[in-house]
Amino acid sequence: RSSQFWQSASKINVPRFLEHENVSPQKIEQYNKRRSNIVGILDSPVFKQYFGREAAVALYPQLDHFSNGSWPEAFSGVLLVTRLDPKTRVAKSLVDIWNQYSQQWDARVTHYKNVAVTVVRLKKPDPNVYYANVGDVLIAAVDERIVHAAIDTAKGERESIGKDARFLSVRKYLYDFSDGVFFLDVPGVKDFIQRYWSTLFAEKKDKHTSLTQEKIQEMLSRVDGINSTGGAFLAGKPIRSKWALTFDPARINPEFRRLYGCAASDNPTVQFVPKDAVLYQWMNCFDFSARYEEFMARHQKKSGQTAASPFAELEQTWGLGVKDDILPALGQELGWYVQGIEVGGLFPVPKFVFF
């Protein structure tokens, strides 16, 4: 945070920027409240009490088909696991939290395989909350079955994610010991998104929803053939991370196939990038012609097959064709860097260089 970039970024007056962009006072007030709420949550003793050591979040989207496509229902498969300080009194601290937001709640205790499961019924909002302690670990979810499954896993009666083939295919490329791990079952997430939007649009049949569904399907088709992805990081100065992605070369999107089939090479651009750059990227396998064809296909689909090229006037002025003259001369390298943020004007402008 002591770097020039962060010092510049901290000077950005976001409310002023929003006001300059003609954002309504109500929206600006909402932004200020949300920012204040987030900062308050992160700084609160209760948050630090529950998330000061270890925490994990998992999503199980395959439990049921959605009945109405609502987000609370879609994320009813979320499981929260956190390791508590031995001094934490779960019941009392949770009561304090709920009393801040609602006086209309009650709790009862059930048992699952000799483990006490507390059910908290909130009248506003509606979902019940189920939680249980297994040793010094707190397990919580809004679906009782997820808590039961987590208890079974803790007892060794179900296999954990640590034995899942897709997780292991990514895990082997990461650090043996780390401060955080992320994993994504790409086909599972794709199925989750498809089922959610299919349910949401089931009762809405018009041109707008059809186009939206078409765009979603186009976006999801880009991850065909990708099996899983994940990463891990090590805290410290600097923070270090590793990421891995596994895929089926025979099924992967042709665009990705070209990218992952590109041979590595030396990077000569570091010789002219200033040392005070705060963001920098270089790649040696950028297909300008493919990006051009993709852009033109979208343009024709939106404007009609007979629509004039958006580059027609430029091509006439330059006396050069984008496709036949300019693109072949660009090669396949692309890079950019940012040196900082210019905050002297009405709104912040990054010092951006493209090459």
PDB file of all heavy atoms in Angstrom, residues 36-69:
ATOM      1  N   SER A  36     -19.493   1.213   3.274  1.00  0.00           N
ATOM      2  CA  SER A  36     -19.427   1.325   4.730  1.00  0.00           C
ATOM      3  C   SER A  36     -19.783   0.000   5.399  1.00  0.00           C
ATOM      4  O   SER A  36     -19.147  -0.407   6.382  1.00  0.00           O
ATOM      5  CB  SER A  36     -20.367   2.431   5.211  1.00  0.00           C
ATOM      6  OG  SER A  36     -20.364   2.525   6.610  1.00  0.00           O
ATOM      7  N   ASN A  37     -20.792  -0.685   4.855  1.00  0.00           N
ATOM      8  CA  ASN A  37     -21.205  -1.975   5.434  1.00  0.00           C
ATOM      9  C   ASN A  37     -20.106  -3.017   5.299  1.00  0.00           C
ATOM     10  O   ASN A  37     -19.829  -3.785   6.229  1.00  0.00           O
ATOM     11  CB  ASN A  37     -22.478  -2.476   4.754  1.00  0.00           C
ATOM     12  CG  ASN A  37     -23.697  -1.662   5.139  1.00  0.00           C
ATOM     13  OD1 ASN A  37     -23.707  -1.010   6.177  1.00  0.00           O
ATOM     14  ND2 ASN A  37     -24.717  -1.687   4.307  1.00  0.00           N
ATOM     15  N   ILE A  38     -19.468  -3.067   4.103  1.00  0.00           N
ATOM     16  CA  ILE A  38     -18.410  -4.052   3.875  1.00  0.00           C
ATOM     17  C   ILE A  38     -17.232  -3.795   4.809  1.00  0.00           C
ATOM     18  O   ILE A  38     -16.708  -4.719   5.434  1.00  0.00           O
ATOM     19  CB  ILE A  38     -17.958  -4.018   2.400  1.00  0.00           C
ATOM     20  CG1 ILE A  38     -19.086  -4.535   1.498  1.00  0.00           C
ATOM     21  CG2 ILE A  38     -16.697  -4.858   2.203  1.00  0.00           C
ATOM     22  CD1 ILE A  38     -18.795  -4.382   0.021  1.00  0.00           C
ATOM     23  N   VAL A  39     -16.825  -2.537   4.902  1.00  0.00           N
ATOM     24  CA  VAL A  39     -15.716  -2.196   5.796  1.00  0.00           C
ATOM     25  C   VAL A  39     -16.068  -2.528   7.236  1.00  0.00           C
ATOM     26  O   VAL A  39     -15.256  -3.068   7.994  1.00  0.00           O
ATOM     27  CB  VAL A  39     -15.356  -0.700   5.656  1.00  0.00           C
ATOM     28  CG1 VAL A  39     -14.334  -0.300   6.720  1.00  0.00           C
ATOM     29  CG2 VAL A  39     -14.809  -0.416   4.264  1.00  0.00           C
ATOM     30  N   GLY A  40     -17.327  -2.224   7.631  1.00  0.00           N
ATOM     31  CA  GLY A  40     -17.759  -2.516   8.989  1.00  0.00           C
ATOM     32  C   GLY A  40     -17.754  -4.008   9.297  1.00  0.00           C
ATOM     33  O   GLY A  40     -17.349  -4.425  10.386  1.00  0.00           O
ATOM     34  N   ILE A  41     -18.186  -4.819   8.317  1.00  0.00           N
ATOM     35  CA  ILE A  41     -18.193  -6.274   8.518  1.00  0.00           C
ATOM     36  C   ILE A  41     -16.772  -6.799   8.673  1.00  0.00           C
ATOM     37  O   ILE A  41     -16.470  -7.594   9.564  1.00  0.00           O
ATOM     38  CB  ILE A  41     -18.911  -6.966   7.338  1.00  0.00           C
ATOM     39  CG1 ILE A  41     -20.407  -6.662   7.379  1.00  0.00           C
ATOM     40  CG2 ILE A  41     -18.677  -8.476   7.380  1.00  0.00           C
ATOM     41  CD1 ILE A  41     -21.161  -7.142   6.164  1.00  0.00           C
ATOM     42  N   LEU A  42     -15.871  -6.372   7.779  1.00  0.00           N
ATOM     43  CA  LEU A  42     -14.499  -6.874   7.820  1.00  0.00           C
ATOM     44  C   LEU A  42     -13.769  -6.457   9.092  1.00  0.00           C
ATOM     45  O   LEU A  42     -12.885  -7.179   9.570  1.00  0.00           O
ATOM     46  CB  LEU A  42     -13.735  -6.382   6.587  1.00  0.00           C
ATOM     47  CG  LEU A  42     -14.243  -6.890   5.236  1.00  0.00           C
ATOM     48  CD1 LEU A  42     -13.420  -6.302   4.105  1.00  0.00           C
ATOM     49  CD2 LEU A  42     -14.205  -8.407   5.164  1.00  0.00           C
ATOM     50  N   ASP A  43     -14.127  -5.302   9.632  1.00  0.00           N
ATOM     51  CA  ASP A  43     -13.457  -4.810  10.833  1.00  0.00           C
ATOM     52  C   ASP A  43     -14.141  -5.245  12.126  1.00  0.00           C
ATOM     53  O   ASP A  43     -13.628  -4.974  13.216  1.00  0.00           O
ATOM     54  CB  ASP A  43     -13.388  -3.278  10.807  1.00  0.00           C
ATOM     55  CG  ASP A  43     -12.392  -2.762   9.769  1.00  0.00           C
ATOM     56  OD1 ASP A  43     -11.524  -3.551   9.358  1.00  0.00           O
ATOM     57  OD2 ASP A  43     -12.505  -1.592   9.366  1.00  0.00           O
ATOM     58  N   SER A  44     -15.294  -5.885  12.016  1.00  0.00           N
ATOM     59  CA  SER A  44     -16.052  -6.232  13.218  1.00  0.00           C
ATOM     60  C   SER A  44     -15.384  -7.366  13.987  1.00  0.00           C
ATOM     61  O   SER A  44     -14.810  -8.286  13.398  1.00  0.00           O
ATOM     62  CB  SER A  44     -17.477  -6.639  12.851  1.00  0.00           C
ATOM     63  OG  SER A  44     -17.472  -7.884  12.163  1.00  0.00           O
ATOM     64  N   PRO A  45     -15.456  -7.327  15.317  1.00  0.00           N
ATOM     65  CA  PRO A  45     -14.891  -8.410  16.131  1.00  0.00           C
ATOM     66  C   PRO A  45     -15.520  -9.760  15.838  1.00  0.00           C
ATOM     67  O   PRO A  45     -14.849 -10.791  15.895  1.00  0.00           O
ATOM     68  CB  PRO A  45     -15.192  -7.949  17.565  1.00  0.00           C
ATOM     69  CG  PRO A  45     -15.373  -6.471  17.466  1.00  0.00           C
ATOM     70  CD  PRO A  45     -15.985  -6.233  16.131  1.00  0.00           C
ATOM     71  N   VAL A  46     -16.834  -9.761  15.509  1.00  0.00           N
ATOM     72  CA  VAL A  46     -17.519 -11.028  15.228  1.00  0.00           C
ATOM     73  C   VAL A  46     -16.943 -11.686  13.984  1.00  0.00           C
ATOM     74  O   VAL A  46     -16.689 -12.895  13.954  1.00  0.00           O
ATOM     75  CB  VAL A  46     -19.037 -10.798  15.067  1.00  0.00           C
ATOM     76  CG1 VAL A  46     -19.718 -12.082  14.583  1.00  0.00           C
ATOM     77  CG2 VAL A  46     -19.640 -10.340  16.382  1.00  0.00           C
ATOM     78  N   PHE A  47     -16.709 -10.874  12.924  1.00  0.00           N
ATOM     79  CA  PHE A  47     -16.137 -11.432  11.693  1.00  0.00           C
ATOM     80  C   PHE A  47     -14.763 -12.021  11.966  1.00  0.00           C
ATOM     81  O   PHE A  47     -14.446 -13.123  11.528  1.00  0.00           O
ATOM     82  CB  PHE A  47     -16.048 -10.340  10.622  1.00  0.00           C
ATOM     83  CG  PHE A  47     -15.521 -10.829   9.297  1.00  0.00           C
ATOM     84  CD1 PHE A  47     -16.381 -11.348   8.350  1.00  0.00           C
ATOM     85  CD2 PHE A  47     -14.171 -10.781   9.008  1.00  0.00           C
ATOM     86  CE1 PHE A  47     -15.904 -11.811   7.130  1.00  0.00           C
ATOM     87  CE2 PHE A  47     -13.679 -11.234   7.801  1.00  0.00           C
ATOM     88  CZ  PHE A  47     -14.543 -11.751   6.860  1.00  0.00           C
ATOM     89  N   LYS A  48     -13.928 -11.277  12.698  1.00  0.00           N
ATOM     90  CA  LYS A  48     -12.592 -11.760  12.999  1.00  0.00           C
ATOM     91  C   LYS A  48     -12.636 -12.989  13.893  1.00  0.00           C
ATOM     92  O   LYS A  48     -11.758 -13.850  13.820  1.00  0.00           O
ATOM     93  CB  LYS A  48     -11.783 -10.645  13.663  1.00  0.00           C
ATOM     94  CG  LYS A  48     -11.515  -9.469  12.722  1.00  0.00           C
ATOM     95  CD  LYS A  48     -10.790  -8.341  13.420  1.00  0.00           C
ATOM     96  CE  LYS A  48     -10.550  -7.167  12.466  1.00  0.00           C
ATOM     97  NZ  LYS A  48      -9.880  -6.033  13.134  1.00  0.00           N
ATOM     98  N   GLN A  49     -13.682 -13.077  14.733  1.00  0.00           N
ATOM     99  CA  GLN A  49     -13.822 -14.223  15.618  1.00  0.00           C
ATOM    100  C   GLN A  49     -14.104 -15.496  14.828  1.00  0.00           C
ATOM    101  O   GLN A  49     -13.574 -16.564  15.137  1.00  0.00           O
ATOM    102  CB  GLN A  49     -14.962 -13.956  16.603  1.00  0.00           C
ATOM    103  CG  GLN A  49     -15.167 -15.048  17.651  1.00  0.00           C
ATOM    104  CD  GLN A  49     -16.305 -14.699  18.583  1.00  0.00           C
ATOM    105  OE1 GLN A  49     -17.302 -14.113  18.174  1.00  0.00           O
ATOM    106  NE2 GLN A  49     -16.172 -15.064  19.848  1.00  0.00           N
ATOM    107  N   TYR A  50     -14.925 -15.368  13.769  1.00  0.00           N
ATOM    108  CA  TYR A  50     -15.310 -16.550  13.008  1.00  0.00           C
ATOM    109  C   TYR A  50     -14.400 -16.830  11.818  1.00  0.00           C
ATOM    110  O   TYR A  50     -14.324 -17.963  11.342  1.00  0.00           O
ATOM    111  CB  TYR A  50     -16.761 -16.406  12.505  1.00  0.00           C
ATOM    112  CG  TYR A  50     -17.764 -16.763  13.567  1.00  0.00           C
ATOM    113  CD1 TYR A  50     -18.246 -15.785  14.440  1.00  0.00           C
ATOM    114  CD2 TYR A  50     -18.207 -18.054  13.733  1.00  0.00           C
ATOM    115  CE1 TYR A  50     -19.151 -16.101  15.429  1.00  0.00           C
ATOM    116  CE2 TYR A  50     -19.113 -18.380  14.716  1.00  0.00           C
ATOM    117  CZ  TYR A  50     -19.586 -17.405  15.569  1.00  0.00           C
ATOM    118  OH  TYR A  50     -20.467 -17.730  16.553  1.00  0.00           O
ATOM    119  N   PHE A  51     -13.710 -15.813  11.321  1.00  0.00           N
ATOM    120  CA  PHE A  51     -12.894 -16.004  10.125  1.00  0.00           C
ATOM    121  C   PHE A  51     -11.455 -15.565  10.341  1.00  0.00           C
ATOM    122  O   PHE A  51     -10.754 -15.205   9.413  1.00  0.00           O
ATOM    123  CB  PHE A  51     -13.504 -15.239   8.941  1.00  0.00           C
ATOM    124  CG  PHE A  51     -14.886 -15.678   8.601  1.00  0.00           C
ATOM    125  CD1 PHE A  51     -15.982 -14.978   9.078  1.00  0.00           C
ATOM    126  CD2 PHE A  51     -15.103 -16.817   7.841  1.00  0.00           C
ATOM    127  CE1 PHE A  51     -17.273 -15.386   8.781  1.00  0.00           C
ATOM    128  CE2 PHE A  51     -16.394 -17.229   7.544  1.00  0.00           C
ATOM    129  CZ  PHE A  51     -17.481 -16.516   8.018  1.00  0.00           C
ATOM    130  N   GLY A  52     -11.007 -15.594  11.585  1.00  0.00           N
ATOM    131  CA  GLY A  52      -9.651 -15.184  11.884  1.00  0.00           C
ATOM    132  C   GLY A  52      -8.634 -16.290  11.715  1.00  0.00           C
ATOM    133  O   GLY A  52      -7.438 -16.043  11.684  1.00  0.00           O
ATOM    134  N   ARG A  53      -9.082 -17.547  11.585  1.00  0.00           N
ATOM    135  CA  ARG A  53      -8.143 -18.661  11.474  1.00  0.00           C
ATOM    136  C   ARG A  53      -8.272 -19.324  10.101  1.00  0.00           C
ATOM    137  O   ARG A  53      -7.576 -19.000   9.159  1.00  0.00           O
ATOM    138  CB  ARG A  53      -8.397 -19.673  12.598  1.00  0.00           C
ATOM    139  CG  ARG A  53      -8.163 -19.078  13.996  1.00  0.00           C
ATOM    140  CD  ARG A  53      -8.489 -20.077  15.076  1.00  0.00           C
ATOM    141  NE  ARG A  53      -7.529 -21.168  15.099  1.00  0.00           N
ATOM    142  CZ  ARG A  53      -7.676 -22.268  15.829  1.00  0.00           C
ATOM    143  NH1 ARG A  53      -8.762 -22.424  16.581  1.00  0.00           N
ATOM    144  NH2 ARG A  53      -6.761 -23.219  15.811  1.00  0.00           N
ATOM    145  N   GLU A  54      -9.210 -20.251   9.967  1.00  0.00           N
ATOM    146  CA  GLU A  54      -9.412 -20.944   8.682  1.00  0.00           C
ATOM    147  C   GLU A  54     -10.883 -20.882   8.303  1.00  0.00           C
ATOM    148  O   GLU A  54     -11.760 -20.920   9.168  1.00  0.00           O
ATOM    149  CB  GLU A  54      -8.999 -22.406   8.790  1.00  0.00           C
ATOM    150  CG  GLU A  54      -7.518 -22.644   8.975  1.00  0.00           C
ATOM    151  CD  GLU A  54      -7.219 -24.128   9.071  1.00  0.00           C
ATOM    152  OE1 GLU A  54      -7.249 -24.805   8.034  1.00  0.00           O
ATOM    153  OE2 GLU A  54      -6.987 -24.609  10.189  1.00  0.00           O
ATOM    154  N   ALA A  55     -11.142 -20.803   7.016  1.00  0.00           N
ATOM    155  CA  ALA A  55     -12.523 -20.804   6.533  1.00  0.00           C
ATOM    156  C   ALA A  55     -12.557 -21.412   5.143  1.00  0.00           C
ATOM    157  O   ALA A  55     -11.589 -21.332   4.389  1.00  0.00           O
ATOM    158  CB  ALA A  55     -13.095 -19.390   6.513  1.00  0.00           C
ATOM    159  N   ALA A  56     -13.683 -22.036   4.813  1.00  0.00           N
ATOM    160  CA  ALA A  56     -13.860 -22.627   3.487  1.00  0.00           C
ATOM    161  C   ALA A  56     -15.310 -22.456   3.060  1.00  0.00           C
ATOM    162  O   ALA A  56     -16.219 -22.471   3.899  1.00  0.00           O
ATOM    163  CB  ALA A  56     -13.487 -24.112   3.494  1.00  0.00           C
ATOM    164  N   VAL A  57     -15.513 -22.281   1.767  1.00  0.00           N
ATOM    165  CA  VAL A  57     -16.852 -22.185   1.199  1.00  0.00           C
ATOM    166  C   VAL A  57     -16.948 -23.166   0.041  1.00  0.00           C
ATOM    167  O   VAL A  57     -16.038 -23.245  -0.796  1.00  0.00           O
ATOM    168  CB  VAL A  57     -17.158 -20.759   0.696  1.00  0.00           C
ATOM    169  CG1 VAL A  57     -18.540 -20.702   0.050  1.00  0.00           C
ATOM    170  CG2 VAL A  57     -17.075 -19.750   1.843  1.00  0.00           C
ATOM    171  N   ALA A  58     -18.027 -23.924  -0.011  1.00  0.00           N
ATOM    172  CA  ALA A  58     -18.243 -24.884  -1.103  1.00  0.00           C
ATOM    173  C   ALA A  58     -19.650 -24.702  -1.644  1.00  0.00           C
ATOM    174  O   ALA A  58     -20.563 -24.300  -0.918  1.00  0.00           O
ATOM    175  CB  ALA A  58     -18.043 -26.314  -0.613  1.00  0.00           C
ATOM    176  N   LEU A  59     -19.821 -24.983  -2.923  1.00  0.00           N
ATOM    177  CA  LEU A  59     -21.133 -24.875  -3.568  1.00  0.00           C
ATOM    178  C   LEU A  59     -21.504 -26.216  -4.159  1.00  0.00           C
ATOM    179  O   LEU A  59     -20.734 -26.800  -4.926  1.00  0.00           O
ATOM    180  CB  LEU A  59     -21.102 -23.803  -4.671  1.00  0.00           C
ATOM    181  CG  LEU A  59     -22.363 -23.690  -5.538  1.00  0.00           C
ATOM    182  CD1 LEU A  59     -23.549 -23.251  -4.689  1.00  0.00           C
ATOM    183  CD2 LEU A  59     -22.154 -22.692  -6.673  1.00  0.00           C
ATOM    184  N   TYR A  60     -22.690 -26.706  -3.800  1.00  0.00           N
ATOM    185  CA  TYR A  60     -23.218 -27.957  -4.329  1.00  0.00           C
ATOM    186  C   TYR A  60     -24.476 -27.643  -5.138  1.00  0.00           C
ATOM    187  O   TYR A  60     -25.578 -27.572  -4.601  1.00  0.00           O
ATOM    188  CB  TYR A  60     -23.565 -28.920  -3.183  1.00  0.00           C
ATOM    189  CG  TYR A  60     -22.375 -29.282  -2.332  1.00  0.00           C
ATOM    190  CD1 TYR A  60     -22.041 -28.514  -1.228  1.00  0.00           C
ATOM    191  CD2 TYR A  60     -21.575 -30.369  -2.643  1.00  0.00           C
ATOM    192  CE1 TYR A  60     -20.935 -28.819  -0.451  1.00  0.00           C
ATOM    193  CE2 TYR A  60     -20.467 -30.694  -1.874  1.00  0.00           C
ATOM    194  CZ  TYR A  60     -20.156 -29.912  -0.780  1.00  0.00           C
ATOM    195  OH  TYR A  60     -19.066 -30.213  -0.014  1.00  0.00           O
ATOM    196  N   PRO A  61     -24.332 -27.394  -6.439  1.00  0.00           N
ATOM    197  CA  PRO A  61     -25.470 -26.938  -7.236  1.00  0.00           C
ATOM    198  C   PRO A  61     -26.375 -28.054  -7.742  1.00  0.00           C
ATOM    199  O   PRO A  61     -27.384 -27.786  -8.356  1.00  0.00           O
ATOM    200  CB  PRO A  61     -24.782 -26.253  -8.418  1.00  0.00           C
ATOM    201  CG  PRO A  61     -23.509 -27.017  -8.579  1.00  0.00           C
ATOM    202  CD  PRO A  61     -23.089 -27.427  -7.191  1.00  0.00           C
ATOM    203  N   GLN A  62     -26.033 -29.316  -7.476  1.00  0.00           N
ATOM    204  CA  GLN A  62     -26.757 -30.418  -8.088  1.00  0.00           C
ATOM    205  C   GLN A  62     -27.862 -30.976  -7.213  1.00  0.00           C
ATOM    206  O   GLN A  62     -28.454 -31.998  -7.533  1.00  0.00           O
ATOM    207  CB  GLN A  62     -25.781 -31.549  -8.448  1.00  0.00           C
ATOM    208  CG  GLN A  62     -25.266 -32.359  -7.261  1.00  0.00           C
ATOM    209  CD  GLN A  62     -24.122 -31.687  -6.545  1.00  0.00           C
ATOM    210  OE1 GLN A  62     -23.871 -30.507  -6.770  1.00  0.00           O
ATOM    211  NE2 GLN A  62     -23.429 -32.410  -5.706  1.00  0.00           N
ATOM    212  N   LEU A  63     -28.182 -30.317  -6.097  1.00  0.00           N
ATOM    213  CA  LEU A  63     -29.140 -30.903  -5.169  1.00  0.00           C
ATOM    214  C   LEU A  63     -30.524 -31.069  -5.789  1.00  0.00           C
ATOM    215  O   LEU A  63     -31.106 -32.148  -5.759  1.00  0.00           O
ATOM    216  CB  LEU A  63     -29.244 -30.030  -3.914  1.00  0.00           C
ATOM    217  CG  LEU A  63     -28.001 -30.047  -3.011  1.00  0.00           C
ATOM    218  CD1 LEU A  63     -28.197 -29.083  -1.852  1.00  0.00           C
ATOM    219  CD2 LEU A  63     -27.746 -31.453  -2.501  1.00  0.00           C
ATOM    220  N   ASP A  64     -31.098 -30.018  -6.298  1.00  0.00           N
ATOM    221  CA  ASP A  64     -32.444 -30.062  -6.870  1.00  0.00           C
ATOM    222  C   ASP A  64     -32.515 -29.154  -8.084  1.00  0.00           C
ATOM    223  O   ASP A  64     -31.704 -28.266  -8.246  1.00  0.00           O
ATOM    224  CB  ASP A  64     -33.492 -29.578  -5.857  1.00  0.00           C
ATOM    225  CG  ASP A  64     -33.620 -30.495  -4.661  1.00  0.00           C
ATOM    226  OD1 ASP A  64     -33.783 -31.713  -4.862  1.00  0.00           O
ATOM    227  OD2 ASP A  64     -33.526 -29.993  -3.543  1.00  0.00           O
ATOM    228  N   HIS A  65     -33.544 -29.383  -8.895  1.00  0.00           N
ATOM    229  CA  HIS A  65     -33.832 -28.414  -9.950  1.00  0.00           C
ATOM    230  C   HIS A  65     -34.492 -27.209  -9.303  1.00  0.00           C
ATOM    231  O   HIS A  65     -35.253 -27.335  -8.347  1.00  0.00           O
ATOM    232  CB  HIS A  65     -34.743 -29.021 -11.013  1.00  0.00           C
ATOM    233  CG  HIS A  65     -34.066 -30.062 -11.849  1.00  0.00           C
ATOM    234  ND1 HIS A  65     -33.150 -29.750 -12.819  1.00  0.00           N
ATOM    235  CD2 HIS A  65     -34.135 -31.406 -11.821  1.00  0.00           C
ATOM    236  CE1 HIS A  65     -32.693 -30.863 -13.382  1.00  0.00           C
ATOM    237  NE2 HIS A  65     -33.274 -31.876 -12.790  1.00  0.00           N
ATOM    238  N   PHE A  66     -34.193 -26.032  -9.823  1.00  0.00           N
ATOM    239  CA  PHE A  66     -34.739 -24.827  -9.240  1.00  0.00           C
ATOM    240  C   PHE A  66     -36.214 -24.703  -9.615  1.00  0.00           C
ATOM    241  O   PHE A  66     -36.608 -24.965 -10.741  1.00  0.00           O
ATOM    242  CB  PHE A  66     -33.978 -23.595  -9.739  1.00  0.00           C
ATOM    243  CG  PHE A  66     -32.486 -23.753  -9.666  1.00  0.00           C
ATOM    244  CD1 PHE A  66     -31.686 -23.567 -10.784  1.00  0.00           C
ATOM    245  CD2 PHE A  66     -31.893 -24.120  -8.472  1.00  0.00           C
ATOM    246  CE1 PHE A  66     -30.324 -23.718 -10.708  1.00  0.00           C
ATOM    247  CE2 PHE A  66     -30.528 -24.269  -8.386  1.00  0.00           C
ATOM    248  CZ  PHE A  66     -29.732 -24.069  -9.508  1.00  0.00           C
ATOM    249  N   SER A  67     -37.006 -24.260  -8.662  1.00  0.00           N
ATOM    250  CA  SER A  67     -38.438 -24.141  -8.930  1.00  0.00           C
ATOM    251  C   SER A  67     -38.811 -22.765  -9.472  1.00  0.00           C
ATOM    252  O   SER A  67     -39.754 -22.635 -10.233  1.00  0.00           O
ATOM    253  CB  SER A  67     -39.233 -24.410  -7.643  1.00  0.00           C
ATOM    254  OG  SER A  67     -38.882 -23.475  -6.635  1.00  0.00           O
ATOM    255  N   ASN A  68     -38.076 -21.725  -9.071  1.00  0.00           N
ATOM    256  CA  ASN A  68     -38.439 -20.393  -9.544  1.00  0.00           C
ATOM    257  C   ASN A  68     -37.254 -19.562  -9.999  1.00  0.00           C
ATOM    258  O   ASN A  68     -37.410 -18.421 -10.399  1.00  0.00           O
ATOM    259  CB  ASN A  68     -39.210 -19.626  -8.452  1.00  0.00           C
ATOM    260  CG  ASN A  68     -38.406 -19.486  -7.175  1.00  0.00           C
ATOM    261  OD1 ASN A  68     -37.177 -19.565  -7.193  1.00  0.00           O
ATOM    262  ND2 ASN A  68     -39.095 -19.297  -6.058  1.00  0.00           N
ATOM    263  N   GLY A  69     -36.043 -20.113  -9.934  1.00  0.00           N
ATOM    264  CA  GLY A  69     -34.874 -19.407 -10.425  1.00  0.00           C
ATOM    265  C   GLY A  69     -34.394 -18.285  -9.533  1.00  0.00           C
ATOM    266  O   GLY A  69     -33.579 -17.483  -9.962  1.00  0.00           O
TER     267      GLY A  69
END
